[in-house]
Amino acid sequence: MNRLTRRIGDASARRPWLTIAAWLAALALVLPLAGLAGGSFVDDLVAPGSQSEEAMELLEERFPEASGGSATTVFAAPEGERIDRHRPAIEAAVARIADVEHVARVTDPFTAGTVSPDGRIGLAHVTFDIPTMDVHPEQIDALNSAIEPVRGDGVVAELGGDTVFINAETPTSGAEAAGLLAALVILVVVFGTIVAALVPIALALVAVAAGLGGITLLAHATDVSTAAPTIGAMVGLGVGIDYALFVVARYRENHAAGQDNSSALSNAMASSGAAVLFAGGTVVVAMTALAVTGLGFLTSIGLSTSLVVLFAVATALTLLPALLSLLGDRIHKRRRRGLRTRRVNKPEETVWWRFAHRVSGRPWPYLLVASAALLALAAPAVRMETGFPDAGNDATSTTHRRAYDLMAEGFGPGFNAPLLIVADLRSPGVDAEGIPELSRRLAEDPGIASVGEPQISAAGDTVVLPALPTTAPADAATSHTLERIRDVVPDNVAVSGLTAMTDDLTRQLADTLPVFIAAIIVVSFLLLMLVFRSIAVPLKAAVMNLLSIGGAYGVVVAVFQWGWLGGLFNLEETLPIASPMPTIFFAVLFGLSMDYEVFLLSRVREEYDATGDTKESVARGMAVTGRVITSAALIMTVVFLSFVVNPSPLVKMMGLGLATAVVLDATIVRMVLVPASMALLGRAAWWLPRPLDRLLPRTSTEGAADVPPSPEPALVPGRH
């Protein structure tokens, strides 16, 4: 691996302008192509093999009129007025809606009787002639344009319903730019030069731009989740900056040790470049493992994020050495007045070295206290309640959230959670004569508010009973109602609708999460064992990653589910934890935490191979990487926290959870648990059975060819 990354870096450094031109050409091809041929983002919420999927497939095959997407236009008069005072304007809006492409039919709230008891709110139900997943943002925009004139008449007009909610694009907050600015400040402090600080930022932006273009093109070929671009950008910015930071830091270290620029860069690519390749590969493996869940929208998030990470690795291995070769000594110099040069303390004089020896001198107390702290933070996760986000969890700035609130106000919370009871009359069970009795039995359930008139297909072999529960979509009581209904209906009857689909999705996520976690841990264990030639090191890494992830889970539960410090994060109300979050979160974090594991332990292994002293190798490894890893973690934290202000609940949870986990990983895990556990393990930390050692292929991320580092010059403010 070292030789491969060295050769790639050397080739890029020898032909820097050709490398830069190749990247510019790639961006010039991908970005315009994404704009012209890219697809729209949509969430595939189907749980394969579930009852809701079978029901929807039956409707698409035999009763396509009932399988089309649906939306609801909500009209509300000002407080104290009745909606019928604005009837002409509303009827004109309904007529305009009927002319929108793919609208099969639309009801008039006055003739259909869909006016609230107080007469203030009216609903116009819109049915499309295509499935929900096939409705594009253009149709939603056209509906918005159709109802815009009625707003001028003093009427509140909002768009809601399943189709609008599913196809709503994930909004951005603009705070990501603030995160990048904070990252730039950190990099200036770390490197002491604006030039060196700008390089990682520039590379991260190139990787994210290319990755988002690729995601948009991927959406042309398959369904890609609306959350995929945001999560991909979040992870891409973090790893893109960090990967460049690690390489640039090693390059400057080698140069400070007396190597010329060419040798320093080549050796940095052989050591840190190899670590970047392995760390990026670990993130890609973790993200692509989302396919294990069998859920389309999670698979698309995994593939999309992997694509951005691959671009981040590619920029670090090719574009970065090209830029460094062109910049030459400018990457080392600070052009600010009032600075003087001094030398950084030797490793054994740093706080990292002293703290590592303090921990390794009394490993058990530090190990137990740190573990107890992480377990205490993880405790709330035991009470985690998951549910799929619905329109009621989105920001009130979105039209589908305002429509959701108006429908709940005028018609009850269950109006936002419609169910479709689908009967296949060709199969044994209930027949046409038994449908009225089935409707009566459903209406008797305490969780059902009403059951509508049966809809019969043209062939008479399929019947749909629309039903409304008494509770909201994400309410646990709605899930219990769904369970009871499925228990009492005959074998040829299935329950579908978006609420049933998301409930099936939540259940499948819960069922597959243990398998998913086990798969990632096993693969990561094998990869780390291959690189570090050890049994204990990868086992330790897996356990510590689980502790830090558990701590982050607990913080997310305490903030979002229990409401602790909710005002600090602009939470309008407590929320159940979004059911996809634990799975996505585990994949992202396990991959990212392995980054720090690889960068730290690769230096520890270098020192161990040179000295054979476990405690001293850990102390020196922490001394030479502590400042860089801490800076990298701080950058990741501010980037992730910038997404906490995103209006999307899932993105908000991801931002806080990832930021928390990175802080825990870079502090408690790397500073305390690693030296304590390595001290207790001693030489056994690097033990590998000889038969296994002979069997495994040889690979490494250590830079054995590097000149031993000497203290690095730095510039600090001087006095005048």
Side-chain angles (χ1 to χ4, degrees), residues 2 34 102 127-128 279 384 455 543 712:
N2 306 70
H102 291 301
T127 303
F128 294 92
M384 181 185 294
Q455 304 169 18
V543 172
E712 178 184 358

Side-chain angles (χ1 to χ4, degrees), residues 102-116:
H102 291 301
V103 170
R105 59 185 179 275
V106 56
T107 63
D108 184 313
F110 303 104
T111 58
T114 50
V115 177
S116 62

Side-chain angles (χ1 to χ4, degrees), residues 50-68 420-427 457 459 461-464 491-496:
S50 65
Q51 189 183 107
S52 58
E53 182 197 31
E54 295 172 0
M56 292 307 297
E57 288 178 347
L58 180 67
L59 291 178
E60 290 175 7
E61 177 187 348
R62 300 190 200 166
F63 202 172
E65 300 90 338
S67 67
L420 296 179
I421 317 299
V422 183
D424 177 8
L425 301 187
R426 294 185 189 177
S427 301
S457 64
D461 57 0
T462 307
V463 176
V464 176
D491 292 339
N492 66 333
V493 175
V495 184
S496 190

Side-chain angles (χ1 to χ4, degrees), residues 419-439:
L419 302 174
L420 296 179
I421 317 299
V422 183
D424 177 8
L425 301 187
R426 294 185 189 177
S427 301
V430 69
D431 54 18
E433 289 74 19
I435 293 297
E437 174 61 20
L438 174 63
S439 178

Side-chain angles (χ1 to χ4, degrees), residues 32-43:
L33 191 60
L36 294 173
S40 300
F41 299 107
V42 62
D43 288 309

Side-chain angles (χ1 to χ4, degrees), residues 205-282:
L205 291 176
V206 170
V208 170
L212 292 182
I215 293 172
T216 306
L217 290 174
L218 181 65
H220 178 78
T222 185
D223 290 337
V224 175
S225 171
T226 55
T230 304
I231 295 176
M234 183 192 308
V235 176
L237 285 174
V239 300
I241 294 173
D242 276 9
Y243 292 168
L245 167 63
F246 287 125
V247 174
V248 172
R250 191 63 184 262
Y251 169 54
R252 285 161 55 92
E253 180 184 322
N254 291 343
H255 180 269
Q259 301 179 32
D260 60 76
N261 284 341
S262 177
S263 299
L265 180 55
S266 180
N267 289 329
M269 295 306 300
S271 53
S272 293
V276 164
L277 180 60
F278 179 80
T282 305

Side-chain angles (χ1 to χ4, degrees), residues 101-160:
E101 184 182 11
H102 291 301
V103 170
R105 59 185 179 275
V106 56
T107 63
D108 184 313
F110 303 104
T111 58
T114 50
V115 177
S116 62
D118 63 0
R120 194 177 78 86
I121 300 171
L123 309 178
H125 294 296
V126 181
T127 303
F128 294 92
D129 59 11
I130 53 177
T132 292
M133 305 300 180
D134 294 337
V135 176
H136 295 294
E138 291 79 10
Q139 278 86 51
I140 306 300
D141 292 340
L143 291 179
N144 258 318
S145 298
I147 65 175
E148 182 61 34
V150 79
R151 292 170 175 149
D153 197 47
V155 176
V156 175
E158 306 292 352
L159 281 178

